[in-house]
Amino acid sequence: MSNKKIYKVIGIMSGTSMDGLDCSLIETDGINYLKIIREYSFDYNISYKKKLIKIIQKLPNSKRKKISYAKNNEALVTNKFLKLINEFIKKIKYKKKNIDLIGLSGQTIFHDPKNQCTLQLSSGKDLCKRINLPVVSNFRDKDIQLGGQGAPIGCFYHKYLIKKINMSSAILNIGGVSNITFLLNKKLIGFDIGPGNAIIDDLVYFFYKKKFDKNGKYAKEGMLIKNIYNSYKKNLFFKKKYPKSLDRNYFKSYLNKLKEYKKNDAIHTASLMTVFSIINSINFHRIKLNEIILTGGGRKNIFILDKLNEYFKEKNIKVSLIDKYGFNGDLIESQMFAYLAVRSIKKLPISIPSTTGVNHPISGGILYK
């Protein structure tokens, strides 16, 4: 299979925001060529999202039990993925026999690189058998085993975008967790920078039983809770140098505290916490840029976008949405896992010391066929 130059691949991604499944059918060589054929996002209903949250909340304490627990709960996600991928193929009216590969990113439920443990729900092996297509999954496992952080794992696709759009820009993904990728003297750098939508979304669901703060409406109506915000800014994570990565619930203690305050004040403060993590990532690491290109669901939050524009305008750094360049900002990560699947079967690097902290450049992923 790896002798083929260009592949037609479906990439799928269910992010830490747990709001839906993104599917992208692309044509790529995993290096310099990429053509988007068709894409679609399927929203999860509240009932399914609640099941995922419940699984995360009931995670056992020990690593061994966590791994066993994840294995016992992966069928829920595999079944959902199978149903939606088949629906996607049917929806786009594409012949299944023309699809070479599926790049599968499972549902992340736990991430602790310090103890070499990262857990995602879904089985590449089971999906391959049932959909009758080759599947590449488990992109993070080899990196973690060799001492890397296992995240962020998509920096090589971000590098492709940076080279295509602006070599002096950074790709900043505001998902459940936010991460940044940029080139420093042609060297690829990437790391997690702090919470993105996770705390905001959890608060919006807690207070309003809604999935997210549309356009930052609730945040705009709130006031800053200074003691929590100031405590958050002192968190040791922000003083760590890259490579570094985060579990979705790393900042959960702030979420629990914010639940005790007025609704919109809590959401306003959480939103400013996300803004701070972005600003801090640029300032603390002294990153020289002329543009920050936003991807992920958080780019639609007008409150966050206005705050970033307000700050970076004074620094002569433009803040743009990747949509401006012809890419759907909601689907970058599903494109990414299709691209990485091809890199995987070609044994090309998907992580390096300056992105995940792994000792040397490595490929990754497991091919089921």
Side-chain angles (χ1 to χ4, degrees):
M1 183 181 269
S2 59
N3 292 330
K4 195 168 178 176
K5 289 182 180 178
I6 294 172
Y7 295 80
K8 291 182 174 69
V9 196
I10 293 177
I12 66 168
M13 173 66 180
S14 180
T16 47
S17 292
M18 299 185 294
D19 50 6
L21 186 72
D22 301 326
C23 301
S24 296
L25 173 62
I26 70 168
E27 192 176 76
T28 185
D29 64 354
I31 308 168
N32 296 318
Y33 171 75
L34 184 137
K35 179 185 175 185
I36 297 164
I37 301 170
R38 290 293 299 276
E39 303 183 288
Y40 194 78
S41 286
F42 296 92
D43 290 337
Y44 293 151
N45 57 37
I46 289 290
S47 170
Y48 179 72
K49 184 170 180 175
K50 279 169 79 173
K51 286 177 185 175
L52 293 177
I53 291 169
K54 197 172 180 181
I55 288 170
I56 294 170
Q57 288 172 341
K58 290 190 172 182
L59 265 168
N61 290 325
S62 78
K63 179 179 173 180
R64 183 179 58 81
K65 286 181 180 177
K66 276 188 175 78
I67 293 167
S68 174
Y69 175 83
K71 189 79 179 166
N72 292 337
N73 282 280
E74 70 182 6
L76 172 76
V77 176
T78 306
N79 292 340
K80 175 66 88 173
F81 284 4
L82 177 69
K83 180 188 172 188
L84 294 180
I85 295 167
N86 278 325
E87 203 174 313
F88 174 65
I89 294 168
K90 189 178 176 183
K91 190 177 189 69
I92 65 173
K93 296 176 181 172
Y94 202 80
K95 288 182 181 176
K96 196 172 168 183
K97 66 179 183 180
N98 293 333
I99 298 165
D100 297 307
L101 196 59
I102 290 175
L104 164 68
S105 173
Q107 181 65 60
T108 301
I109 59 166
F110 183 73
H111 183 70
D112 180 13
K114 190 178 176 183
N115 292 301
Q116 292 188 308
C117 186
T118 188
L119 298 174
Q120 292 185 314
L121 299 184
S122 73
S123 166
K125 186 178 181 181
D126 191 25
L127 184 65
C128 170
K129 275 184 186 175
R130 294 166 67 189
I131 204 162
N132 199 27
L133 284 169
V135 174
V136 177
S137 64
N138 303 78
F139 290 94
R140 304 176 194 276
D141 291 7
K142 187 177 179 183
D143 186 271
I144 285 271
Q145 288 160 13
L146 294 175
Q149 297 267 320
I153 205 70
C155 296
F156 275 89
Y157 183 54
H158 290 169
K159 179 184 178 182
Y160 164 81
L161 294 170
I162 288 167
K163 287 172 77 175
K164 192 173 180 67
I165 297 169
N166 174 6
M167 290 288 284
S168 297
S169 69
I171 299 288
L172 200 147
N173 173 51
I174 311 177
V177 169
S178 295
N179 56 69
I180 192 168
T181 306
F182 57 96
L183 295 171
L184 180 63
N185 301 322
K186 297 185 180 179
K187 182 182 178 183
L188 181 62
I189 311 284
F191 53 96
D192 284 351
I193 62 175
N197 305 318
I199 297 176
I200 303 165
D201 289 353
D202 288 352
L203 286 170
V204 170
Y205 183 74
F206 177 77
F207 289 126
Y208 292 103
K209 295 294 178 280
K210 291 184 179 177
K211 286 185 182 179
F212 56 91
D213 183 11
K214 190 174 182 180
N215 296 327
K217 177 180 176 289
Y218 299 132
K220 285 177 192 172
E221 293 170 1
M223 301 286 286
L224 181 65
I225 305 163
K226 288 184 181 177
N227 61 319
I228 292 180
Y229 181 70
N230 290 335
S231 166
Y232 167 83
K233 288 201 297 181
K234 292 173 186 172
N235 191 282
L236 291 176
F237 179 80
F238 298 121
K239 294 177 174 61
K240 277 186 187 177
K241 292 184 178 178
Y242 60 82
K244 57 183 180 177
S245 63
L246 279 171
D247 179 69
R248 185 188 191 278
N249 292 320
Y250 178 88
F251 289 99
K252 193 176 180 180
S253 61
Y254 298 98
L255 167 67
N256 293 335
K257 288 172 188 172
L258 287 168
K259 284 178 178 178
E260 297 171 11
Y261 288 83
K262 289 179 181 177
K263 298 176 183 181
N264 292 344
D265 290 355
I267 294 165
H268 176 96
T269 303
S271 302
L272 286 180
M273 285 158 61
T274 294
V275 171
F276 169 79
S277 69
I278 294 168
I279 291 170
N280 175 76
S281 70
I282 306 291
N283 291 343
F284 179 74
H285 295 94
R286 298 179 181 176
I287 305 170
K288 291 182 180 178
L289 306 164
N290 61 24
E291 184 176 15
I292 299 168
I293 302 169
L294 302 182
T295 73
R299 80 193 191 289
K300 295 177 180 175
N301 186 311
I302 293 169
F303 177 81
I304 289 174
L305 193 58
D306 285 348
K307 293 294 178 186
L308 292 176
N309 273 314
E310 188 181 306
Y311 179 84
F312 286 112
K313 190 176 181 181
E314 292 182 9
K315 306 281 183 183
N316 293 316
I317 299 173
K318 183 167 64 169
V319 178
S320 310
L321 305 188
I322 199 160
D323 310 69
K324 169 186 167 183
Y325 296 104
F327 294 88
N328 186 327
D330 291 329
L331 294 157
I332 296 300
E333 292 203 311
S334 51
Q335 296 163 19
M336 177 178 91
F337 280 102
Y339 182 85
L340 291 183
V342 174
R343 290 188 70 85
S344 174
I345 60 173
K346 289 186 173 184
K347 307 299 180 193
L348 296 169
I350 65 170
S351 57
I352 56 177
S354 56
T355 61
T356 65
V358 71
N359 289 332
H360 58 277
I362 60 162
S363 192
I366 299 171
L367 171 64
Y368 298 97
K369 59 181 180 176

